[in-house]
Amino acid sequence: MSENLLAQLQNPDDLRKLSPQQLPQLAAELRQFIIDIVSIKEGHLGASLGVVELTIALHYVFNTPDDLLVWDVGHQAYGHKILTGRRERFHTNRQLGGISGFPKRSESVYDAFGTGHSSTSISAALGMAIASKLKGEINRQHIAVIGDASIASGMAFEGLNHAGVTDANLLVILNDNAIGIDPSVGALKNYLTSVKEGKNPIANNMIKSLNFDYSGPIDGHDIPGLIHELSRLKKVKGPKFLHIITTKGKGFAMAEEHQVKFHAPGKFDKTSGEILKTPESNLPPKYQDVFGTTLLDLAKKNPKIIGITPAMPTGSSLKMMMDVLPERAFDVGIAEQHAVTLSAGMATQGMIVYCNIYSTFLQRAYDQVIHDVALQNLPVIFCLDRAGLVGEDGATHHGLYDLAYLRCIPNLMIYAPRDEVALRNILYTAQLGLQNPIAIRYPRGRGFNTNWQLPYTAIEIGKATCLKDGEKCAILTTGTIGCNASQALRNLASAEAFAHYDFGFVKPLDDIALHKIFQKFKKVITLEEGCITGGFGSAVNEFAQQHGYLVPIQNLGVPDVFIEHGTVAELHHVCKIDPENLLVLFDQMK
């Protein structure tokens, strides 16, 4: 039996000591190592399996970390992490205190650029290449690895457009597997398919027309072929583009066959590939499914309803509507700016548009929210999935800033449902006819109620609700984090001292309720699952200052630091907004 090669490698210098004939064995070992760990610890599987050979070839040919390697998004960087000194820590991947699931500069010198959102790699690597030239480092290599879904995003084209008029020593590698998280969409996908099938004439090569030295497409699982082509391109000056064809989930039959499910499958049997499901009967629904189920129901009854998502039909559950009403539900690819302005255009024609974007990804379309929607007061309905702390994906994916970055925009309303019943009802209310755009934020994960599909009830705009009366202190919460406060109060001996108000609407605030609260109580506590700076608590502070109230206010939420990865419960504890910490705080104030 041959010795285990992977166990002997501490860094890419060790990798380069292997013979080319040993690399296929290393690829098999690396692939199995990823499967072994992810099957137990969870994480992003398919993308990393698909680039095992490419990862080995890149570190074999290029002198990393001096040569700079940027992985777009970073879902596919597990093999890279394992080969760059993190093999023994890989079992801590995405866990509290462990390594990040994405490339991270502070974690390793081999992580040239932090990634977690798509389509940034070309711009970043181009910036590095231009800087290297200015410093006289003319032989330094700069490589961006980007997928066919990510390269369709506007920012990637901006990078290509600039790079094509430079002499930067830049290599863009297109990892073409025809899928991101969901299957790739759009005209560019069709173009790439025609190239792979040999149906597109060389004279019509769009990459060459941007002044790149184009080569490919080649087999991305052929290590000798990859090494040969990368070695050749290493000697070519100026911007280069290598088109490789890979299979997402390569080497693991179930991941190849079910690519969407095995993007991030959770725990699974590493032998059979069976996903180990936890019992779901009698469990509350996921918030994304409340959205998907409700929107489909509403759309069947209202022909003006449109659904739009930028490349997240499965993650947002908009796919439910896409399967039944495909002519009114659109996946526009990784194109958040386009999704927002497309929604605005439809709204001008009287359509009722539900634009579903993860909170962290709406950041990528901030100007469009202001300029194209709010300034024109178009009643687009933004459904912000994954708002709050999302857990193991960490700092790049937490939806912590939407309350702060949206609250300052005129005309825009903001609503955070306390539970799935409230989410269902605000989705219903929105299609009855709004005078302004609205952002509806809700978290990742499951709700609290199994009996949530109740008859629709319209929600009064700007109205807060008193959940519990009290004598001394008022707790004001927004969104599902209010359930942590309720749980703490149920376990508090002196609960009669505390009132609890649910402020579903962060904008407009319920001024009538706030006046009563500040006139009655001796102290006010605000609680939100978002950044304290500029968020819901800040809005309450501003109200008190404006009206001259001197009642002490304590703001609870996420502190002014980037929160790392861990389970949502662990991160609530880190931020001291979990029921246990809240109970201690309330008990100290009784």
Side-chain angles (χ1 to χ4, degrees):
M1 183 176 180
S2 61
E3 60 183 340
N4 187 287
L5 299 176
L6 181 61
Q8 302 176 44
L9 304 184
Q10 298 301 319
N11 54 54
D13 287 336
D14 294 335
L15 167 63
R16 297 178 197 118
K17 295 174 184 176
L18 299 179
S19 69
Q21 292 73 29
Q22 291 176 295
L23 299 183
Q25 177 186 333
L26 176 63
E29 292 174 1
L30 179 56
R31 184 169 274 117
Q32 190 60 51
F33 186 84
I34 293 171
I35 293 170
D36 289 346
I37 298 296
V38 177
S39 67
I40 299 171
K41 298 294 186 177
E42 305 186 14
H44 296 106
L45 180 70
S48 286
L49 294 184
V51 295
V52 163
E53 289 81 7
L54 175 64
T55 304
I56 291 171
L58 285 168
H59 285 294
Y60 195 74
V61 171
F62 294 100
N63 186 32
T64 54
D66 185 60
D67 289 337
L68 300 171
L69 174 60
V70 181
W71 297 93
D72 204 274
V73 185
H75 287 149
Q76 73 277 48
Y78 287 1
H80 160 81
K81 289 191 174 228
I82 294 163
L83 293 176
T84 55
R86 287 165 278 185
R87 185 188 71 249
E88 293 182 357
R89 290 190 294 148
F90 187 65
H91 67 281
T92 70
N93 184 43
R94 303 173 81 243
Q95 297 179 26
L96 185 68
I99 65 173
S100 170
F102 299 92
K104 187 175 181 182
R105 279 171 52 81
S106 62
E107 187 177 288
S108 172
V109 294
Y110 291 93
D111 292 358
F113 199 75
T115 52
H117 293 184
S118 83
S119 315
T120 62
S121 61
I122 298 174
S123 298
L126 176 60
M128 296 169 185
I130 293 173
S132 293
K133 182 182 177 183
L134 291 172
K135 294 191 294 180
E137 298 168 346
I138 59 174
N139 292 319
R140 196 177 204 186
Q141 305 291 322
H142 312 84
I143 308 103
V145 181
I146 187 168
D148 56 284
S150 294
I151 204 169
S153 177
M155 185 177 177
F157 272 96
E158 292 169 19
L160 290 171
N161 182 57
H162 183 195
V165 294
T166 73
D167 58 357
N169 193 14
L170 171 69
L171 171 59
V172 175
I173 299 176
L174 173 62
N175 174 31
D176 186 356
N177 58 19
I179 189 169
I181 295 176
D182 287 276
S184 302
V185 298
L188 181 61
K189 180 256 181 118
N190 295 338
Y191 165 79
L192 293 172
T193 299
S194 69
V195 171
K196 288 186 288 186
E197 294 175 350
K199 298 177 181 178
N200 192 72
I202 297 296
N204 192 36
N205 188 297
M206 64 182 295
I207 303 301
K208 280 191 172 184
S209 70
L210 294 173
N211 297 325
F212 276 77
D213 184 312
Y214 173 89
S215 61
I218 66 171
D219 182 357
H221 301 299
D222 175 13
I223 293 181
L226 285 169
I227 290 175
H228 177 270
E229 189 59 18
L230 291 172
S231 299
R232 184 188 73 81
L233 290 169
K234 189 175 180 180
K235 302 171 186 175
V236 175
K237 301 300 182 183
K240 299 147 301 217
F241 192 101
L242 174 60
H243 185 176
I244 71 170
I245 302 171
T246 64
T247 299
K248 188 171 182 178
K250 178 70 174 178
F252 191 57
M254 290 293 285
E256 290 187 37
E257 184 179 352
H258 303 284
Q259 293 180 332
V260 174
K261 284 185 179 180
F262 276 83
H263 172 74
K267 295 179 181 179
F268 61 93
D269 186 298
K270 66 181 181 181
T271 303
S272 68
E274 179 185 0
I275 295 176
L276 305 179
K277 295 183 178 179
T278 55
E280 295 190 0
S281 58
N282 300 318
L283 288 179
K286 294 179 179 179
Y287 280 99
Q288 67 182 61
D289 291 339
V290 173
F291 164 81
T293 302
T294 303
L295 186 63
L296 176 57
D297 182 54
L298 295 171
K300 288 178 178 178
K301 301 169 184 175
N302 188 336
K304 291 185 176 181
I305 288 178
I306 301 290
I308 293 175
T309 184
M312 289 294 177
T314 300
S316 70
S317 292
L318 184 65
K319 193 173 188 304
M320 295 180 183
M321 183 177 173
M322 292 173 66
D323 288 344
V324 179
L325 300 170
E327 73 282 0
R328 289 197 278 136
F330 303 91
D331 174 5
V332 301
I334 302 177
E336 293 86 0
Q337 294 174 320
H338 168 60
V340 171
T341 304
L342 178 70
S343 300
M346 289 188 174
T348 67
Q349 301 306 302
M351 307 309 287
I352 301 170
V353 187
Y354 291 77
C355 183
N356 189 298
I357 303 182
Y358 290 9
S359 169
T360 187
F361 297 146
L362 187 65
Q363 296 163 186
R364 294 158 59 94
Y366 191 52
D367 180 63
Q368 286 68 31
V369 173
I370 296 173
H371 182 273
D372 299 339
V373 176
L375 183 62
Q376 303 182 84
N377 204 23
L378 296 170
V380 173
I381 304 157
F382 294 105
C383 300
L384 306 189
D385 199 340
R386 273 61 166 180
L389 292 157
V390 299
E392 292 85 350
D393 280 345
T396 58
H397 282 61
H398 294 319
L400 298 176
Y401 309 109
D402 53 88
L403 289 178
Y405 72 68
L406 295 176
R407 194 171 65 81
C408 60
I409 302 175
N411 290 336
L412 182 64
M413 299 185 292
I414 306 171
Y415 182 82
R418 185 172 180 271
D419 57 22
E420 53 272 63
V421 175
L423 174 56
R424 175 176 164 85
N425 284 330
I426 194 64
L427 293 171
Y428 165 75
T429 303
Q431 55 89 48
L432 295 177
L434 296 176
Q435 301 303 309
N436 307 92
I438 186 171
I440 303 167
R441 72 183 310 258
Y442 50 94
R444 181 187 184 193
R446 294 190 180 276
F448 307 95
N449 306 296
T450 55
N451 185 28
W452 59 276
Q453 290 180 292
L454 304 174
Y456 292 114
T457 301
I459 291 176
E460 184 178 348
I461 303 298
K463 179 73 172 178
T465 302
C466 181
L467 302 175
K468 176 188 176 301
D469 205 357
E471 301 168 358
K472 298 179 181 179
C473 178
I475 302 167
L476 317 184
T477 65
T478 185
T480 58
I481 196 68
C483 295
N484 282 11
S486 294
Q487 183 177 334
L489 289 172
R490 284 195 295 270
N491 295 323
L492 186 65
S494 56
E496 70 280 354
F498 295 88
H500 184 189
Y501 291 82
D502 170 41
F503 276 75
F505 280 95
V506 174
K507 187 177 182 179
L509 281 172
D510 188 340
D511 287 2
I512 295 174
L514 284 174
H515 279 297
K516 292 179 179 178
I517 288 167
F518 279 102
Q519 290 166 5
K520 176 179 178 179
F521 295 98
K522 296 179 180 179
K523 184 164 185 176
V524 170
I525 298 173
T526 67
L527 173 63
E528 60 200 293
E529 192 171 353
C531 61
I532 295 174
T533 305
F536 166 62
S538 292
V540 174
N541 297 348
E542 291 161 12
F543 174 89
Q545 187 275 333
Q546 180 183 355
H547 295 283
Y549 290 115
L550 301 179
V551 176
I553 305 171
Q554 184 170 357
N555 300 137
L556 304 178
V558 177
D560 191 25
V561 295
F562 287 111
I563 304 299
E564 300 298 339
H565 45 277
T567 67
V568 171
E570 287 171 336
L571 300 182
H572 280 176
H573 185 75
V574 168
C575 297
K576 298 184 178 180
I577 56 176
D578 58 301
E580 291 76 17
N581 269 299
L582 292 175
L583 176 61
V584 172
L585 173 66
F586 297 161
D587 190 54
Q588 291 172 345
M589 296 173 52
K590 61 186 177 181

